[in-house]
Amino acid sequence: MDLPPVNLAELLRHPDDLDKITTLKAEFMRKKAAVDSQLRSGLREQLETTQAGMNGLADGQRTVQQIKEEMMKIDKICSESQDMITDFATINLVSQAHRNFGAVETMRRNLETFSERLDAIDRMLNEDDEDPENMPNLLAIHYELTQLRNIRDDAIEQIQRGDDPGLQSTLEDYFSRLDKYIEWFDVNITLVAMSLINLVIADNNSLVVRFALIIEAEEKSDQRVLALQEALKDHKEMATRFQSITDGAKTVRGYKDKFLKAIRTFAEDQFKESKEKFLGDPDMLDKSLKWYFNDLNAVKIGMTPLMPKKWKIFKTWATIYHGLMHDYLIGLIDDPETSSAHTLAIISWPEAYYRKMTKLGMKQDELTPHVIDNREAELVRDFRALIIKFLDEWIDRIYKQECKDFVDRNVEGGNLDQDEYGYFRTKNLVDLWRMLREQVDAAGNSKRADVVEGVIDAMFQRLRTRQQSWQKMLEDEAARYELQPPQGQPELDGFQPLQDWLVATANDQIACIDDNEDEGRMAYLSDFRRKFSTLVSPQYMDRAETEIAALRDGYVDLSTWCMTKFAQLVFAVDFRTVMPDFFTPRWYTTNAMARMIATFEEYVSDYKIVLHHSLVDIFIEIFAEELLIRYLSSVRNKGAKFRRQDNFQDKIFDDLSTAFDFFNNLPNPDVGNAIKETWRVSEPFLQLLTVDKEAVPDAFAEFKSQYWDLQISWVEAVLRSRDDFERSMLNAVKARAAQMDVVRGPETIMSKVK
């Protein structure tokens, strides 16, 4: 039993699949046991068959040897008898003369009537041509032609022994008319052979039986000729003594082979018609081959009783048809004219084919080779790879267009779309998801879960890669503005369109996962899940849910990253000259915090109408967090120093009040409260700046207990910014840190303050 090779890479593609190893091992052991059992059974049957064949050969050798011995005895007796009978030579000579006279008389009579008998055959053939559905003279014609062919063969053989080329040429001319009627008869025989199925269906059993009798007689004649040729070849010295037993056909006429060839030709013609129908419509494979099973059923039910049992006509017919079916399907598989839809139909065909053949009485192991050479797994992989190839081409084409649009974002009026809510959107997201649905449909047309599952796995991987590619594309472009030197005029070409694209990209991610239940509209990802869920197995769906959840998290992360990158760009470009002044002498004479808050308010006012409503609050929170991180990190600014005589506490309070006023006026009070709670970290920060030197370790310990991920390097920078900094203060803090048993918890804002 041929089985497709097992590809462990296909079975164990995900870490969760390792849990299946025990089950897979048990399954493979079960299959191995079944294969071993079949091998043992097949080996036993093969040994029995081989032994029976060897026994048959031995018996045949003994029989041949016995025949040789008996013929030698006969030859010996003949020789001895000549000496026992008085005047044997004279008697033998007279006997031979009598036999020769009889043979000559018979030959003369046959030659004289030869032309008349041909005329009779001519009349019978014409009568059969007038009634091709019954051919009443078929048997009589065969008998007469056989007799005349034997007469011709005997005459030619005798002339050849006489070594008279001129007379042989005359005889051949005389018999030449016979060939015309032989060809005519062969045409009729072929016509009957090609029409056997229709004759059986029409209940024309008489013609079928007469045809079978002719083929059987010819088969016996051919067997006799072959046996005599073999015997005479091995015993040439005895050939002249036994010429009298070689009357009849002298050559193999091959009507049985012509009959079997007619079966093939008849089926091949129908396969050609089936191919045209199938190539025109891939759904027509089953219907286009309906004749195949109808023919075999007609042979089994109607023809088997009319043919010799030794022919096993149904098995013979089924074997010929199966070979042609194999060649037909393999030819289609390898035919460049066939499409993937044709391949799909062929992949699904063997199961139905063998089921129908089993109903007809032919088991699968009796039909060799396998109807498509066990190439289902290969064809499934090829079809799946073809869909994935188209998928990759589409995604690559879409991504290239998106990159081009991104590079050309400075065009007049921008090159982004806006949806029905006025939100910025990129142009190709709709095309992407439409293409994914189309490829799911293409995979679903295979009616095979393994095809769909392989394609969906590829889609999951491509969607994850797409998220990463988009983030990298935006990050690389943002780096142009973030890495500019602080001196000189900043490069702003394409900056504002980049911010628009960050907003549009964030909106795209939300569109992928935001199900609008009020309007009954599903997000792209949910609609994608719904589309393929009915096409895969429940076991695969369990794993797919994990992939869907990971994609959903990825879309959330990318949208958040876009908002974070937007905020970082604001600080890198808009606030590039402001942030370095914090906590330096210049800080005391400016109102930088107020200007920054005002700038951000303008951003929120401008973008809240084109930013998805669910991202507005997130955008504000991200900006507030980024502002806090940058504010606290400003202790590392060059020249940052907190002097007691400068009333830095009042300045810090002023900054915080400005920020808190903005937070208090946010449309969503919950967001404002959450932001203010995060900004409470400014209190222990102020404590580190204001407490006496001796109390610094206690202030640090209190800070560390509230914010477990407080980094000692930042604390050192804070302490060094105090005008009363001493090395002993830092040593005391480090000593206290070593003594503390900090309980780790969720990440806090201080993990981001370096």
Side-chain angles (χ1 to χ4, degrees):
M1 179 180 181
D2 294 333
L3 292 172
V6 176
N7 190 340
L8 290 178
E10 291 288 330
L11 296 175
L12 303 175
R13 287 183 292 181
H14 303 276
D16 294 344
D17 291 337
L18 294 176
D19 298 335
K20 302 178 182 177
I21 289 180
T22 303
T23 305
L24 290 172
K25 181 179 178 182
E27 176 68 12
F28 292 148
M29 291 298 292
R30 182 186 65 77
K31 291 182 179 179
K32 180 179 180 298
V35 171
D36 290 344
S37 175
Q38 290 180 340
L39 287 174
R40 286 193 295 271
S41 175
L43 180 59
R44 183 168 57 255
E45 292 176 0
Q46 190 65 33
L47 287 173
E48 293 173 353
T49 302
T50 303
Q51 187 62 48
M54 293 174 66
N55 293 338
L57 288 172
D59 293 342
Q61 288 176 342
R62 284 194 296 271
T63 302
V64 170
Q65 186 61 34
Q66 289 174 0
I67 292 173
K68 288 181 180 180
E69 292 173 356
E70 291 299 324
M71 292 185 71
M72 292 173 66
K73 289 179 182 179
I74 293 172
D75 184 55
K76 182 179 179 182
I77 292 172
C78 288
S79 300
E80 293 175 349
S81 64
Q82 296 178 15
D83 299 331
M84 296 171 60
I85 301 174
T86 306
D87 299 327
F88 177 81
T90 303
I91 295 172
N92 186 47
L93 183 61
V94 172
S95 175
Q96 288 181 358
H98 183 270
R99 286 197 303 272
N100 290 340
F101 179 79
V104 170
E105 179 66 21
T106 301
M107 180 60 70
R108 181 190 65 79
R109 187 168 56 251
N110 288 338
L111 291 174
E112 289 177 347
T113 61
F114 196 85
S115 181
E116 295 177 6
R117 295 170 75 174
L118 283 178
D119 291 339
I121 291 174
D122 183 274
R123 288 192 298 273
M124 289 189 290
L125 284 169
N126 279 302
E127 290 174 4
D128 281 1
D129 283 353
E130 293 174 0
D131 188 8
E133 295 181 357
N134 294 300
M135 294 189 183
N137 301 313
L138 193 65
L139 269 179
I141 295 170
H142 174 257
Y143 176 78
E144 282 297 314
L145 280 177
T146 300
Q147 296 300 314
L148 296 181
R149 292 170 86 167
N150 292 342
I151 291 170
R152 180 185 64 177
D153 292 348
D154 288 341
I156 295 297
E157 184 182 48
Q158 291 180 30
I159 289 298
Q160 288 174 342
R161 288 203 299 268
D163 195 20
D164 187 346
L167 187 55
Q168 179 177 341
S169 177
T170 302
L171 271 178
E172 289 175 349
D173 292 340
Y174 183 77
F175 292 132
S176 62
R177 189 177 162 209
L178 175 62
D179 292 332
K180 166 188 172 183
Y181 296 105
I182 293 173
E183 293 177 4
W184 193 344
F185 174 75
D186 287 352
V187 169
N188 286 354
I189 283 292
T190 302
L191 179 62
V192 175
M194 295 282 288
S195 306
L196 283 175
I197 297 293
N198 295 329
L199 292 173
V200 170
I201 294 174
D203 287 332
N204 194 347
N205 295 342
S206 172
L207 184 54
V208 176
V209 170
R210 283 181 280 133
F211 171 83
L213 288 173
I214 292 171
I215 300 300
E216 184 180 26
E218 289 292 336
E219 181 182 32
K220 290 179 180 178
S221 174
D222 289 347
Q223 291 172 350
R224 175 177 171 276
V225 170
L226 290 172
L228 287 173
Q229 289 175 350
E230 187 67 24
L232 294 175
K233 180 179 67 175
D234 294 339
H235 306 283
K236 293 180 180 179
E237 74 283 355
M238 301 174 63
T240 57
R241 300 185 185 184
F242 296 96
Q243 286 176 358
S244 60
I245 67 172
T246 62
D247 294 339
K250 301 297 188 296
T251 58
V252 174
R253 294 168 184 167
Y255 278 87
K256 180 67 179 294
D257 292 337
K258 293 177 182 178
F259 169 40
L260 299 179
K261 184 178 179 181
I263 296 175
R264 293 182 60 87
T265 303
F266 176 71
E268 286 170 349
D269 291 342
Q270 297 189 87
F271 272 118
K272 290 178 182 177
E273 295 179 7
S274 298
K275 183 177 181 179
E276 291 180 5
K277 294 178 182 178
F278 179 52
L279 290 178
D281 183 358
D283 294 331
M284 287 291 291
L285 180 60
D286 190 18
K287 291 182 179 179
S288 68
L289 293 172
K290 190 175 181 180
W291 62 267
Y292 181 95
F293 303 101
N294 290 341
D295 284 3
L296 291 179
N297 190 52
V299 172
K300 179 180 181 181
I301 297 175
M303 193 180 299
T304 301
L306 308 178
M307 296 283 182
K309 288 185 178 180
K310 64 180 180 179
W311 284 0
K312 298 181 180 177
I313 191 63
F314 173 67
K315 185 174 182 180
T316 300
W317 210 291
T319 301
I320 293 173
Y321 266 38
H322 175 73
L324 292 172
M325 176 66 80
H326 167 269
D327 296 344
Y328 171 67
L329 294 177
I330 294 299
L332 285 172
I333 290 172
D334 298 332
D335 190 341
E337 292 185 21
T338 56
S339 66
S340 57
H342 296 103
T343 303
L344 276 179
I346 294 172
I347 292 173
S348 304
W349 177 243
E351 182 179 356
Y353 171 75
Y354 284 116
R355 184 172 63 252
K356 293 180 179 181
M357 293 300 287
T358 301
K359 288 182 179 179
L360 288 171
M362 294 294 292
K363 296 180 180 178
Q364 182 172 346
D365 55 4
E366 296 178 297
L367 299 167
T368 56
H370 186 273
V371 70
I372 60 171
D373 293 337
N374 286 311
R375 291 173 62 179
E376 293 99 323
E378 171 197 341
L379 295 174
V380 166
R381 286 195 300 271
D382 291 345
F383 180 71
R384 190 167 55 209
L386 180 63
I387 295 178
I388 293 173
K389 176 175 174 288
F390 288 143
L391 174 71
D392 288 339
E393 289 176 354
W394 268 98
I395 290 180
D396 185 59
R397 188 156 49 244
I398 289 173
Y399 183 67
K400 286 181 178 178
Q401 183 60 47
E402 289 170 332
C403 291
K404 182 178 183 301
D405 291 344
F406 182 61
V407 171
D408 298 338
R409 64 185 182 276
N410 287 332
V411 296
E412 184 68 25
N415 56 4
L416 293 171
D417 284 341
Q418 287 182 276
D419 60 18
E420 64 269 34
Y421 303 108
Y423 303 150
F424 279 160
R425 298 284 295 277
T426 60
K427 293 182 176 181
N428 295 287
L429 185 66
V430 174
D431 293 337
L432 171 72
W433 286 103
R434 183 176 63 250
M435 180 273 297
L436 292 178
R437 289 194 296 271
E438 290 173 353
Q439 297 306 315
V440 170
D441 286 337
N445 290 335
S446 68
K447 304 296 191 297
R448 295 183 64 98
D450 53 351
V451 171
V452 179
E453 290 168 4
V455 171
I456 298 302
D457 278 340
M459 289 180 175
F460 284 147
Q461 193 273 331
R462 272 61 174 181
L463 287 172
R464 288 194 300 270
T465 301
R466 177 178 166 81
Q467 292 174 347
Q468 298 164 4
S469 299
W470 263 92
Q471 181 169 332
K472 185 177 187 307
M473 179 180 71
L474 294 170
E475 191 163 24
D476 290 346
E477 186 65 14
R480 286 180 50 207
Y481 305 98
E482 292 178 308
L483 300 179
Q484 294 183 87
Q487 299 81 16
Q489 190 67 24
E491 174 61 49
L492 297 179
D493 182 44
F495 176 69
Q496 193 271 325
L498 171 61
Q499 292 176 310
D500 293 346
W501 270 76
L502 286 168
V503 169
T505 303
N507 289 340
D508 283 352
Q509 312 315 303
I510 298 303
C512 291
I513 59 176
D514 184 32
D515 295 321
N516 194 330
E517 297 180 359
D518 294 337
E519 298 182 7
R521 183 165 56 183
M522 302 177 73
Y524 291 122
L525 185 60
S526 298
D527 183 62
F528 175 64
R529 177 195 176 282
R530 177 190 59 78
K531 190 163 190 65
F532 75 75
S533 61
T534 58
L535 305 175
V536 299
S537 64
Q539 295 79 7
Y540 178 83
M541 199 61 208
D542 292 340
R543 181 161 59 83
E545 294 292 358
T546 303
E547 295 283 357
I548 291 290
L551 277 176
R552 191 180 300 277
D553 292 342
Y555 288 126
V556 172
D557 292 344
L558 182 53
S559 65
T560 304
W561 179 90
C562 289
M563 294 295 93
T564 301
K565 185 57 62 176
F566 191 113
Q568 291 171 350
L569 284 171
V570 170
F571 281 93
V573 176
D574 293 80
F575 303 154
R576 64 190 295 269
T577 59
V578 176
M579 294 307 302
D581 291 341
F582 274 93
F583 306 148
T584 66
R586 183 176 173 79
W587 169 56
Y588 293 95
T589 61
T590 61
N591 196 8
M593 180 63 77
R595 296 203 311 272
M596 292 167 64
I597 293 295
T599 300
F600 182 65
E601 283 184 304
E602 292 179 6
Y603 271 116
V604 173
S605 176
D606 292 341
Y607 279 98
K608 68 179 179 181
I609 58 176
V610 295
L611 179 64
H612 193 278
H613 64 274
S614 65
L615 291 173
V616 174
D617 290 341
I618 294 175
F619 180 41
I620 294 173
E621 289 186 64
I622 289 174
F623 175 81
E625 182 177 286
E626 188 68 23
L627 177 59
L628 176 59
I629 293 169
R630 303 267 182 160
Y631 188 75
L632 295 177
S633 300
S634 294
V635 296
R636 295 184 181 277
N637 284 343
K638 184 178 181 180
K641 186 67 70 174
F642 296 98
R643 295 181 175 83
R644 298 294 185 274
Q645 66 271 21
D646 292 336
N647 294 321
F648 65 85
Q649 298 181 61
D650 293 340
K651 185 58 177 173
I652 291 176
F653 284 139
D654 184 54
D655 287 346
L656 296 177
S657 297
T658 302
F660 273 64
D661 287 342
F662 171 66
F663 303 149
N664 288 328
N665 292 322
L666 291 176
N668 189 339
D670 293 335
V671 173
N673 292 333
I675 293 174
K676 287 187 290 184
E677 188 62 32
T678 303
W679 275 66
R680 298 296 179 194
V681 73
S682 58
E683 296 175 0
F685 163 62
L686 195 57
Q687 284 290 312
L688 280 178
L689 292 174
T690 58
V691 297
D692 294 337
K693 291 186 291 185
E694 295 77 10
V696 167
D698 294 332
F700 164 76
E702 181 66 21
F703 202 161
K704 186 72 172 177
S705 63
Q706 297 178 39
Y707 299 88
W708 66 271
D709 45 7
L710 174 67
Q711 300 187 41
I712 194 68
S713 60
W714 178 79
V715 173
E716 180 179 354
V718 173
L719 296 179
R720 289 183 180 278
S721 67
R722 289 175 54 135
D723 59 349
D724 59 349
F725 171 73
E726 294 178 357
R727 187 71 185 177
S728 59
M729 295 168 57
L730 180 59
N731 292 336
V733 166
K734 291 181 177 180
R736 178 61 67 88
Q739 297 171 1
M740 294 183 66
D741 185 13
V742 178
V743 178
R744 302 174 68 88
E747 186 180 87
T748 73
I749 187 67
M750 293 310 299
S751 66
K752 302 175 183 179
V753 180
K754 308 298 183 181

